[in-house]
Amino acid sequence: MKEYIAQVFSDEKYLLGESPFYDHRTKTLSWVDITKGMFYAVGDDGKGPVKAYDLKQAIGAAVPAKKAGSYVIAASDGLYLFENGSSHLIKNLSDYYESYQRSNDAKADPAGRLFFGSSVDDDIHEASGNLFCIDPLAGGKISVRQADTKISNGMAWSRDRKKFYFSDTLQYAVFEYDYDLATGEISNRCP
């Protein structure tokens, strides 16, 4: 059995550092600081310099896009495509989020659909949100996959792509669903 040893990667302090992702295509590790609105990336298997980008709003996650070296960033007001050091809005989320909500966590399925969740971005409103999916195979349509979430988090698929896992932080649970890769639909939630 192979043994791994954890080492400190960075001494930098983050307000809410999350969403680490290693892109094997570019040997790049990326992550976000949700509260600071920062997106970070370091290439060369972690040996290169850390590059930091300020999106000037809360960022829930950054997911590598189809084009190597580009990312889809789930932010407070929309989904952004980040390429070559700059970002542009690709989907406005004002019709889906309340003014006090923001994105929290996002993952792409093997067919290229982006699952992303919303969460409250203040201490005034009761925790509320939804788990959404944007499907490029359906013309970029956004649909709710799980309504009435609190803090969407931790999305993953089983190796055979027949199960979808989703955690809701304030429900203190990881839920399992049946998953249809052809449609991106989830069903039969089990706590």
Side-chain angles (χ1 to χ4, degrees), residues 35-172:
T35 308
K36 284 185 180 178
M38 298 293 292
F39 168 64
Y40 300 92
V42 59
D44 196 22
D45 278 336
K47 297 176 186 97
V50 174
K51 296 178 182 176
Y53 305 96
D54 188 352
L55 269 75
K56 304 199 183 323
Q57 63 175 302
I59 302 170
V63 178
K66 185 176 183 177
K67 181 181 172 188
S70 61
Y71 297 83
V72 175
I73 295 180
S76 291
D77 65 356
L79 300 174
Y80 289 79
L81 181 62
F82 182 86
E83 293 182 292
N84 303 319
S86 64
S87 61
H88 67 275
L89 184 69
I90 55 174
K91 198 66 154 180
N92 186 320
L93 296 176
S94 61
D95 290 340
Y96 304 93
Y97 289 4
E98 299 294 336
S99 61
Y100 51 83
Q101 290 179 319
R102 63 166 173 81
S103 296
N104 195 73
D105 210 355
K107 296 287 186 299
D109 80 356
R113 297 177 193 93
L114 183 71
F115 284 73
F116 61 99
S118 59
S119 176
V120 171
D121 195 28
D122 61 31
D123 294 327
I124 300 167
H125 296 89
E126 185 176 324
S128 63
N130 293 302
L131 174 65
F132 296 95
C133 177
I134 183 169
D135 189 348
L137 306 173
K141 179 184 172 200
I142 294 178
S143 59
V144 174
R145 291 295 198 255
Q146 178 63 61
D148 302 320
T149 61
K150 305 241 183 252
I151 299 179
S152 296
N153 243 327
M155 298 157 231
W157 289 264
S158 62
R159 217 178 265 265
D160 64 5
R161 309 300 190 234
K162 293 182 179 181
K163 297 290 182 183
F164 173 72
Y165 304 98
F166 169 69
S167 63
D168 189 327
T169 303
L170 290 183
Q171 291 191 48
Y172 310 102

